[in-house]
Amino acid sequence: MPPLPRSFYDRDTIVVARELLGKHLVHVTPTGARRGRIVEVEAYLGPHDLAAHSSKGLTDRTRIMFEPPGYAYVYLIYGMHHCMNVVTEPAGCGAAVLLRALEPLPPLAARTNGPGLLCSAMGIDRRLNGHDLLSPDFFIIDPGMEEKFKIVRRPRIGVAYAKHWAKRLLRFYIKDNPHVSQP
DNA sequence: AGGATGATATCC
DNA sequence: GATATCATCCTC
């Protein structure tokens, strides 16, 4: 099963966010491959989106968001947790999708119902910032046959500082999935 | 409700 | 160089 092609990520961020639901994130580590089914995401639309890190402009931290799509943007938050995003849309757009929750796939059993928890469980940290998701050790696949699911839209979590952008319905999750962070 | 804990942006 | 803030999680 090949990784999703770069053209998958090179599209409207909301479309990519919704279509990432149900896909499988794979990280090959020294202890084996860890896999999780993506069940919750948030879209960050670009520099005009006051909740997006790219609204700070092009800095060392946000540089990866302005690079071509299909790369990982991983950062440390609150001094102890990591968050993982996938860069979307053409280079220069500064858009990305935050992965907020996974459904752990065997043999992975750790909790993955939150952006920090999923990074911990999957062995994702800052060393993977800028990593190409079209690579053999860290990628996302379409698992093929999936039961259909409904998508719930909600405001994003933890972005109250973003004025009217905090109200936008840019968080998406699989309805009734028990691994969502905040149903 | 509050604390852990460090990188980052934004001031002086 | 100092400080306020943070796309979180856990315990109380």
Side-chain angles (χ1 to χ4, degrees), chain A residues 4-122:
Chain A
L4 293 175
R6 201 164 312 279
S7 56
F8 176 89
Y9 303 101
D10 195 1
R11 296 181 296 158
D12 177 82
T13 301
I14 292 176
V15 172
V16 176
R18 297 174 64 98
E19 292 193 14
L20 277 172
L21 294 175
K23 301 295 192 289
H24 291 188
L25 175 67
V26 183
H27 184 204
V28 179
T29 72
T31 60
R34 306 186 196 185
R35 302 167 192 272
R37 177 173 176 254
I38 299 168
V39 300
E40 177 183 351
V41 297
E42 283 178 0
Y44 288 85
L45 303 186
H48 57 297
D49 176 355
L50 296 181
H53 290 170
S54 56
S55 67
K56 299 287 185 189
L58 181 57
T59 67
D60 280 346
R61 185 197 207 191
T62 62
R63 179 176 43 81
I64 186 63
M65 287 186 79
F66 291 95
E67 288 184 357
Y71 290 80
Y73 167 40
V74 182
Y75 62 90
L76 182 66
I77 190 68
Y78 298 113
M80 57 180 72
H81 303 290
H82 294 273
C83 289
M84 174 181 170
N85 306 250
V86 302
V87 177
T88 60
E89 304 198 38
C93 290
V97 174
L98 169 69
L99 305 187
R100 281 198 59 90
L102 307 176
E103 177 176 338
L105 298 172
L108 188 62
R111 289 179 58 191
T112 48
N113 55 321
L117 289 170
L118 83 82
C119 284
S120 171
M122 292 289 291

Side-chain angles (χ1 to χ4, degrees), chain A residues 124-141:
Chain A
I124 297 168
D125 63 30
R126 290 177 353 108
R127 289 172 300 189
L128 288 173
N129 187 41
H131 201 91
D132 192 356
L133 292 171
L134 277 74
S135 58
D137 59 335
F138 193 39
F139 53 91
I140 299 174
I141 59 167

